[in-house]
């Protein structure tokens, strides 16, 4: 019995049909790169201190009202306290000179009763300065990012199952609409609470749209074109959108204007509904053979080739209809020992990669004095990372390539704590190497995961793995806050996770040079390295076949 790739070989790999699907789906990921990390600028913390109202103070006392503190060996103005204003007013009225007639350290301090003054040297406004997310409310700043990634987590989990149930195309466009609409309505948020609710729903569609586009293209395209699409095409367009973000933020320094600019490009993709088809693989898995054949015949017409009179053989069609009688769910990912081992390892690796990727990406505003340059460097390093992932997927083992890139990301972060303070550029370079490793690994794991699972579970599996990755992204904002306790603690945690994940990746099945599995039985036939933690008594072949048809 021919597999899907052999059956559709008459289309060729790079006709007008494949070219249109390739470029349109790649272009759809540009808004993802533009929007997913906009929170770096929208929720950044400007320099700030307590407001000192005009109360007949001399200039000397006006400047001295904010205490000086030592933070990380440097002197800076206190962000959350000031000297008691009534005391300062009396001392100023009596003609005392601060620091000469009065020892400032002896004065009593109070909180910022009149609010805060925020620097506008970098930003005109962020949600931090708009809603005063500082001092006692500072926990809301990283929690804002976490709420966003929780939305991404929920969207990734449910969109995968919805896509396997109702089709790739409807979920792709539905999540794109959710992403665009809620990114737009955030602009009108009157409070932090309302903003956070809208941000959560924006996250529902953000990466879910990316995953749906990824799976749709992976199933429509074949051969080396599929590898090019999954490892370089969508990823490179995501990086292009990411590199555009600091440019937008530089010219639009108000958070509302930036979000407006991020949301509007989504409207350009409405016409894609009439240009992008449903996945024929998914239609076949649901027994909708006539619809699948109609798409392939239209593709043959666009490619100017002749389609066979009967594309899918009758016995193959009957078997596919039988398979379509049962809808698969996320429970199928842990039903048998082989599939369960693959799923558990992938979830660990995805969690690590996402924690590292978003932890380092959200930390860009702290790398140098100019967050725009730091963000651009963080985005630009993704371009060689995606090129490297494409070359690795094209010519080398999936298993070994993924393990090596994750290992590279982890080791480089370990070395940061060995760099002397006199060489800050070297620390930045090592952090960029870590970002390179995590980005390269993420690109490969998207392709690797899609190749390991059969059509009936592919989007559910990808959605589940990205759900675990979003758990990592949810923890990333708070992980980077651990540097307040020990500067290198976030790097040590990320490095340890990366090395453990690199080792676990070696026990995954190999998929290099093999066709996409269509059934769970075909997935069971993939060879893997033996792992004592997961290896069980081999399931009899008859039982495997029975379980795959349940």
């Amino acid at each position: 019995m021919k597999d899907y790739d052999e059956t559709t070989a008459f289309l060729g790999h790079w006709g007008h049909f494949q070219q249109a699907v390739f470029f349109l789906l790649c272009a759809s990921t540009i808004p993802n790169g533009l929007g997913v990390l906009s929170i770096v600028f929208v929720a950044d913390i400007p320099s700030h201190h307590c407001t000192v109202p005009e109360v007949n103070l001399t200039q000397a006392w006006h400047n001295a009202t904010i205490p000086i503190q030592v933070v990380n060996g440097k002197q800076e103005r206190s962000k959350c306290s000031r000297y008691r204003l009534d005391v300062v007013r009396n001392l100023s009225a009596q003609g005392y000179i601060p620091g000469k007639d009065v020892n400032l350290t002896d004065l009593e301090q109070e909180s910022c009763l009149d609010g805060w003054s925020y620097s506008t040297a970098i930003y005109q406004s962020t949600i931090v300065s708009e809603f005063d997310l500082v001092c006692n409310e500072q926990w809301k700043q990283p929690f804002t990012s976490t709420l966003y990634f929780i939305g991404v987590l929920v969207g990734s989990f449910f969109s995968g199952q919805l896509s396997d149930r109702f089709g790739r195309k409807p979920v792709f466009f539905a999540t794109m609409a959710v992403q665009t609409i809620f990114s737009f309505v955030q602009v009108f948020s009157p409070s932090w609470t309302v903003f956070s609710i809208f941000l959560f729903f924006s996250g529902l569609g953000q990466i879910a749209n990316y995953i749906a586009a990824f799976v749709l293209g992976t199933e429509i395209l074949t051969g080396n074109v599929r590898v090019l699409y999954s490892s370089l095409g969508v990823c490179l367009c995501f990086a292009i959108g990411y590199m555009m973000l600091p440019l937008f933020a530089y010219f639009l320094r108000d958070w509302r204007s930036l979000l407006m600019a991020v949301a509007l490009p989504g409207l350009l993709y409405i016409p894609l509904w009439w240009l992008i088809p449903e996945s024929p693989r998914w239609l076949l898995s649901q027994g909708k053979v006539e619809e699948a054949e109609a798409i392939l015949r239209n593709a043959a017409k666009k490619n100017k080739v002749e389609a066979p009179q009967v594309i899918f053989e009758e016995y193959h069609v009957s078997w596919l209809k039988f398979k379509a009688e049962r809808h698969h769910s996320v429970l199928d990912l842990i039903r048998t020992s082989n599939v369960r081992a693959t799923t558990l390892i992938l979830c660990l690796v995805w969690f690590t990669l996402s924690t590292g990727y978003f932890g380092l990406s959200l930390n860009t505003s702290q790398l140098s004095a100019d967050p725009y340059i730091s963000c651009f460097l963080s985005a630009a390093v993704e371009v060689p990372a995606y090129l490297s992932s494409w070359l690795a997927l094209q010519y080398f083992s999936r298993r070994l390539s993924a393990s090596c890139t994750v290992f590279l990301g982890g080791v480089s972060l370990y070395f940061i704590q060995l760099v002397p303070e006199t060489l800050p550029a070297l620390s930045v370079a090592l952090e960029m190497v870590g970002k390179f490793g995590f980005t390269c690994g993420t690109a490969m794991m998207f392709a690797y995961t899609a190749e390991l699972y059969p059509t009936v579970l592919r989007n559910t599996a990808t959605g589940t793995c990205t759900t675990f990755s979003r758990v990592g992204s949810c923890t990333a904002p708070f992980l980077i806050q651990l540097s307040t306790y020990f500067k290198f603690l976030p790097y040590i945690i990320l490095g340890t996770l990366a090395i453990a994940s690199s080792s676990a990746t070696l026990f995954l099945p190999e998929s290099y040079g093999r066709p996409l599995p269509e059934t769970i039985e075909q997935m069971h036939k993939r060879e893997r390295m033996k792992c004592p933690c997961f290896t069980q008594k081999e399931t009899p072949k008859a039982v495997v076949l029975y379980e795959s048809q349940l």
Side-chain angles (χ1 to χ4, degrees):
M1 180 175 64
K2 293 182 179 181
D3 61 28
Y4 179 87
D5 290 349
E6 292 177 308
T7 303
T8 59
F10 67 90
L11 287 176
H13 293 307
W14 192 238
H16 292 303
F17 171 75
Q18 290 94 339
Q19 291 170 14
V21 170
F22 184 97
F23 289 113
L24 290 176
L25 287 178
C26 285
S28 73
T29 64
I30 293 177
N32 294 105
L34 184 61
V36 71
L37 287 167
S38 59
I39 197 71
V40 170
F41 298 104
V42 170
D44 201 8
I45 305 176
S47 298
H48 59 277
H49 59 79
C50 294
T51 297
V52 180
E54 298 294 337
V55 287
N56 297 322
L57 296 178
T58 63
Q59 187 62 43
W61 275 106
H62 191 277
N63 295 335
T65 302
I66 306 299
I68 301 299
Q69 298 178 336
V70 177
V71 180
N72 294 326
K74 298 180 180 179
Q75 289 187 342
E76 62 179 40
R77 303 178 79 182
S78 174
K79 298 177 180 179
C80 299
S81 63
R82 68 185 184 188
Y83 295 119
R84 283 188 56 180
L85 197 58
D86 56 343
V87 174
V88 170
R89 186 189 301 115
N90 292 332
L91 293 173
S92 176
Q94 295 175 25
Y96 291 108
I97 299 175
K100 182 179 180 180
D101 300 326
V102 178
N103 187 355
L104 296 177
T105 57
D106 294 334
L107 298 181
E108 186 180 351
Q109 297 183 15
E110 64 184 4
S111 60
C112 300
L113 302 179
D114 297 294
W116 292 263
S117 295
Y118 296 92
S119 170
T120 57
I122 298 178
Y123 308 105
Q124 290 182 8
S125 70
T126 69
I127 62 168
V128 173
S129 61
E130 181 92 7
F131 306 124
D132 288 332
L133 308 183
V134 293
C135 299
N136 291 336
E137 301 290 307
Q138 187 173 353
W139 63 272
K140 292 181 179 179
Q141 192 268 344
F143 188 61
T144 302
S145 301
T146 296
L147 281 175
Y148 172 73
F149 288 119
I150 290 174
V152 174
L153 183 155
V154 174
S156 300
F157 181 74
F158 287 105
S159 67
Q161 297 180 68
L162 291 173
S163 182
D164 281 338
R165 177 68 62 90
F166 300 108
R168 312 323 195 195
K169 182 178 175 179
V171 172
F172 169 65
F173 283 97
T175 52
M176 181 181 289
V178 169
Q179 169 191 332
T180 302
I181 292 171
F182 283 97
S183 294
F184 178 77
V185 298
Q186 287 177 80
V187 174
F188 306 100
S189 303
S191 66
W192 175 79
T193 302
V194 175
F195 175 86
S196 299
I197 293 172
F198 288 154
L199 185 66
F200 171 83
F201 284 103
S202 174
L204 286 176
Q206 183 62 252
I207 298 299
N209 163 44
Y210 182 92
I211 296 170
F214 173 82
V215 173
L216 183 57
T218 299
E219 293 184 346
I220 291 177
L221 303 171
T222 57
N224 290 334
V225 177
R226 183 179 69 221
V227 176
L228 179 66
Y229 170 81
S230 60
S231 61
L232 189 60
V234 291
C235 298
L236 201 57
C237 285
F238 179 91
I240 291 172
Y242 188 7
M243 286 189 289
M244 291 168 61
L245 173 63
L247 183 65
F248 278 46
Y250 180 81
F251 290 104
L252 303 171
R253 303 201 177 198
D254 172 71
W255 70 272
R256 296 181 189 271
S257 300
L258 178 59
L259 284 180
M260 181 73 76
V262 167
L264 290 180
L267 300 176
L268 301 176
Y269 297 97
I270 295 176
L272 296 188
W273 176 267
W274 293 275
L275 299 175
I276 296 177
E278 180 57 272
S279 164
R281 287 182 188 266
W282 177 81
L283 292 171
L284 286 174
S285 72
Q286 304 300 303
K288 300 178 180 181
V289 183
E290 293 80 7
E291 296 180 37
E293 288 200 352
I295 291 174
L296 294 176
R297 294 189 187 282
N298 183 52
K301 184 178 179 181
K302 291 181 179 179
N303 288 355
K304 298 180 180 180
V305 298
E306 186 176 349
Q309 290 185 348
V310 179
I311 298 178
F312 300 105
E313 301 176 9
E314 290 299 326
Y315 67 89
H316 192 190
V317 170
S318 300
W319 181 79
L320 285 168
K321 287 182 177 179
F322 171 77
K323 290 293 294 180
E325 289 178 1
R326 176 184 178 267
H327 291 293
H328 293 273
S329 70
V330 68
L331 295 178
D332 290 292
L333 300 178
I334 57 173
R335 196 177 300 277
T336 61
S337 60
N338 282 344
V339 179
R340 181 166 57 249
T342 298
T343 301
L344 292 176
I345 293 173
L346 286 175
C347 287
L348 171 64
V349 177
W350 278 88
F351 173 85
T352 299
L353 289 172
S354 185
T355 305
Y357 177 87
F358 285 102
L360 297 180
S361 297
L362 294 173
N363 194 45
T364 53
S365 61
Q366 307 300 320
L367 291 181
S368 69
D370 193 326
Y372 305 105
I373 294 178
S374 298
C375 183
F376 181 81
L377 289 175
S378 181
V381 78
E382 295 193 7
V383 175
Y386 293 137
L387 287 170
S388 300
S389 69
W390 171 66
L391 291 173
L393 291 171
Q394 191 79 5
Y395 300 108
F396 301 105
S397 160
R398 305 284 194 263
R399 183 166 52 199
L400 185 60
S401 299
S403 178
C404 289
T405 54
V406 179
F407 184 80
L408 173 65
V411 170
S412 63
L413 296 185
Y414 267 134
F415 285 155
I416 289 178
Q417 58 188 312
L418 304 179
V419 177
E421 293 185 1
T422 55
L423 297 174
L426 181 57
S427 296
V428 174
L430 286 173
E431 187 161 334
M432 291 300 102
V433 172
K435 178 73 182 296
F436 173 91
F438 289 125
T439 302
C440 190
T442 300
M444 282 194 285
M445 290 310 296
F446 265 106
Y448 195 8
T449 302
E451 291 176 350
L452 288 178
Y453 287 94
T455 301
V456 292
L457 285 177
R458 186 168 296 117
N459 219 56
T460 296
T462 306
T464 301
C465 289
T466 52
T467 297
F468 274 85
S469 77
R470 298 316 153 201
V471 174
S473 61
C474 289
T475 62
F478 290 98
L479 177 66
I480 60 178
Q481 297 291 323
L482 295 178
S483 60
T484 57
Y485 302 101
F486 178 56
K487 182 178 179 181
F488 301 109
L489 185 56
Y491 299 123
I492 293 173
I493 293 174
L494 288 176
T496 303
L497 279 172
I499 292 174
S501 298
S502 173
S503 302
T505 303
L506 295 174
F507 296 98
L508 289 171
E510 183 56 67
S511 63
Y512 176 65
R514 303 182 183 183
L516 291 180
E518 303 293 342
T519 67
I520 296 178
E521 183 187 15
Q522 292 175 357
M523 182 181 177
H524 278 286
K525 294 179 180 179
R526 294 286 175 89
E527 295 180 358
R528 68 171 74 239
M529 291 178 63
K530 299 297 181 183
C531 176
C533 299
F534 295 112
T535 303
Q536 299 181 9
K537 185 177 180 181
E538 186 177 357
T539 307
K541 185 175 181 180
V543 175
V544 171
L545 179 59
Y546 171 74
E547 288 180 335
S548 69
Q549 295 178 348
L550 286 178

